[in-house]
Amino acid sequence: MISGTFHRKTKKLARLILVTGASKGIGAAVARRLARDGFDIAIHYNSDAEGAGAVARDVEACGQAALRLQFDVADRQATADALEAFMASHGAPYGLVMNAGIARDAPFPALEGEDWDAVLGTNLDGFYNVARPLVMPMIQARKGGRIVALTSIAGLAGNRGQVNYSASKAGIIGAVKALALELAKRKITVNAVAPGVIETQMTEGLPAEHLEALIPMRRYGTADEVAAAVAFLCGDEAGYITRQVISVNGGML
């Protein structure tokens, strides 16, 4: 499903960035920050239509266009269909921020196959499912561009009870580094941002005192702090930065 509100006479948006998983948490913060920086935003969500609507209103309050797309990034065909319909109306986006992801934690001996498949299917296959339909249209647009993928400290260092999540996020880092080599001559940068422990719905209920003791800065990070790193990589001043992983983790690694 695609819907949106536009403030221009034309629907061809010159500086549009698609943000996946943008209805809440880090994705919502990224969408809002990029709108403040002057980008039009395509807000992807899977099930949280209300959250996506709230983000869309915030984007429009910044004077930018907001377009909402609904699909499951783990569903390859549904993702391709939605993105092809989107580009048929609005052209290739200038940028892509791949944030959508899930976690299903368990000690490895207790990790069920469906939890492995669900996390790898959403987090790592989702990278392919979203980026693959967009890359060639972005190249053909000849306007350069930005691709940023959200990985994690778990992808850099591993994390107990998160073998599936760590594997998916480490895979994203490898994919980013390889894709950056392919797209560099096209002036499309490809980078990753690796958050540490960030205060979002995903960290609710975690033992805060124990975790904060492991963080040199002695606090959780915020979604806005992660969004600032993503926004920098999407901006014009980051035009010579590609194939990098920027950590936002309070000094944990």
Side-chain angles (χ1 to χ4, degrees):
M1 185 181 76
I2 303 174
S3 63
T5 302
F6 300 91
H7 299 286
R8 294 171 174 79
K9 293 181 180 179
T10 174
K11 290 186 178 181
K12 295 293 184 180
L13 307 177
R15 298 277 280 186
L16 175 70
I17 294 184
L18 167 61
V19 183
T20 69
S23 62
K24 54 182 172 289
I26 290 172
V30 168
R32 293 181 176 110
R33 172 59 189 264
L34 290 173
R36 292 199 300 272
D37 287 353
F39 292 101
D40 297 316
I41 307 297
I43 301 158
H44 161 264
Y45 69 100
N46 185 18
S47 58
D48 188 3
E50 183 177 353
V55 174
R57 289 189 291 274
D58 291 341
V59 168
E60 291 164 359
C62 295
Q64 302 304 129
L67 174 70
R68 279 168 275 175
L69 297 87
Q70 181 185 22
F71 56 86
D72 180 356
V73 299
D75 186 329
R76 184 163 298 160
Q77 190 59 55
T79 300
D81 290 346
L83 293 176
E84 287 169 8
F86 155 71
M87 289 188 290
S89 296
H90 310 295
Y94 171 76
L96 168 63
V97 177
M98 288 180 282
N99 167 75
I102 62 171
R104 293 187 181 177
D105 301 344
F108 189 70
L111 183 62
E112 299 292 342
E114 56 264 32
D115 291 333
W116 175 275
D117 292 341
V119 170
L120 270 292
T122 298
N123 298 358
L124 186 54
D125 289 352
F127 179 100
Y128 175 87
N129 295 346
V130 174
R132 176 64 174 74
L134 295 177
V135 163
M136 186 52 68
M138 289 175 68
I139 291 172
Q140 292 171 338
R142 298 181 181 274
K143 295 179 180 179
R146 302 284 186 264
I147 297 175
V148 180
L150 272 294
T151 178
S152 169
I153 190 172
L156 292 167
N159 195 31
R160 188 186 303 271
Q162 289 191 317
V163 174
N164 52 352
Y165 186 76
S166 298
S168 71
K169 293 299 187 177
I172 287 172
I173 292 172
V176 161
K177 288 183 174 290
L179 186 58
L181 291 174
E182 294 188 17
L183 298 183
K185 66 182 180 181
R186 307 293 187 174
K187 298 181 181 179
I188 299 173
T189 65
V190 188
N191 294 289
V193 171
V197 184
I198 306 300
E199 188 174 358
T200 66
Q201 291 178 334
M202 290 185 69
T203 57
E204 289 178 0
L206 295 179
E209 288 187 9
H210 171 71
L211 286 172
E212 288 175 358
L214 301 176
I215 303 170
M217 293 190 73
R218 292 297 190 270
R219 67 171 178 85
Y220 287 3
T222 69
D224 287 341
E225 288 170 324
V226 179
V230 174
F232 168 70
L233 291 172
C234 289
D236 292 337
E237 293 180 345
Y240 199 56
I241 299 173
T242 195
R243 209 182 176 207
Q244 303 304 307
V245 180
I246 295 181
S247 294
V248 184
N249 61 35
M252 291 181 71
L253 183 67

